[in-house]
Amino acid sequence: MTFGEQPAYLRVAGDLRKKIVDGSLPPHTRLPSQARIREEYGVSDTVALEARKVLMAEGLVEGRSGSGTYVRERPVPRRIARSGYRPDSGATPFRQEQADPAARGTWESHSAQAEASGGVAERLGIQAGERVMCTKYVFRDAGEVMMLSTSWEPLTVTGRSPVMLPEEGPLGGMGVVERMAAIDVIVDNVTEEVGARPGLAEELSALGGVPGHVVVVIQRTYYASGRPVETADVVVPADRYRIAYHLPVK
């Protein structure tokens, strides 16, 4: 096979990827051996190895000790619907994240005071090291972990108030908009920045992914009169979910 300017290992990986996507190499099929790839594509062992590494990094194949490399089952992506604000009543934090009336799920959370890192402090408009309430969530859909979220709220806003702990007290679990309104902080804007990156080891362990899997990261920040009052990172496995936004037309 004649290769152009693209590195040979990427061309080999691209051809194998195409076979996986179109079903020529269905799930649970053993990937051609390194020797077979070398012979079929007329490349070196190094190129064959690097091509296999690309497919592993993309999560298309997985190695099985003592057996070889196999095509992974490709999940059918499910939809996570998002909108700026929650329904007026009966909503849960999980429903807030999904913004879908049909959504059902469970979640776990843990809150603790912490010092704001440089990045979190910049997003909240405070000084690095200032005290924040950090809450970590694990969201499940039908028992399967489908989303992680970590939120930070400046204690200069919520400290020593009935809403200091997001999941406890009279408004525990009601979400940012309602909780802030209870202390006369009126949320009037929310922004979300969406990006993708390889998942961190602890994220992939919780989400059931493998090293190299990509996650979608949503950086969300709530504002009251221009002041950030909460910011959060929402992490979703990119191979299993698609993010759908419901944006009102004004």
Side-chain angles (χ1 to χ4, degrees), residues 23-46:
S24 300
L25 288 172
H28 310 298
T29 299
R30 185 175 181 179
L31 196 71
S33 67
Q34 188 167 313
R36 177 73 178 272
I37 292 174
R38 182 188 63 218
E39 295 172 4
E40 182 175 348
Y41 293 94
V43 296
S44 67
D45 282 334
T46 299

Side-chain angles (χ1 to χ4, degrees), residues 94-136:
F94 191 52
R95 292 274 296 278
Q96 179 184 7
E97 296 295 343
Q98 291 188 297
D100 186 338
R104 293 293 185 272
T106 60
W107 72 95
E108 302 167 4
S109 66
H110 173 74
S111 296
Q113 294 191 31
E115 295 183 355
S117 66
V120 169
E122 182 178 359
R123 287 160 59 177
L124 289 173
I126 61 178
Q127 295 296 316
E130 285 192 33
R131 303 296 291 177
V132 295
M133 183 61 67
C134 176
T135 303
K136 296 186 177 182

Side-chain angles (χ1 to χ4, degrees), residues 19-119:
K19 292 179 179 179
I20 293 172
V21 172
D22 68 18
S24 300
L25 288 172
H28 310 298
T29 299
R30 185 175 181 179
L31 196 71
S33 67
Q34 188 167 313
R36 177 73 178 272
I37 292 174
R38 182 188 63 218
E39 295 172 4
E40 182 175 348
Y41 293 94
V43 296
S44 67
D45 282 334
T46 299
V47 168
L49 177 61
E50 291 301 314
R52 289 157 62 93
K53 286 182 178 179
V54 168
L55 299 178
M56 281 189 173
E58 293 175 349
L60 294 174
V61 301
E62 60 184 355
R64 299 178 186 175
S65 180
S67 180
T69 304
Y70 291 79
V71 177
R72 295 183 68 247
E73 186 81 41
R74 299 183 67 210
V76 177
R78 286 175 281 177
R79 184 172 63 95
I80 296 178
R82 297 181 62 78
S83 64
Y85 294 101
R86 298 172 18 180
D88 292 333
S89 63
T92 67
F94 191 52
R95 292 274 296 278
Q96 179 184 7
E97 296 295 343
Q98 291 188 297
D100 186 338
R104 293 293 185 272
T106 60
W107 72 95
E108 302 167 4
S109 66
H110 173 74
S111 296
Q113 294 191 31
E115 295 183 355
S117 66

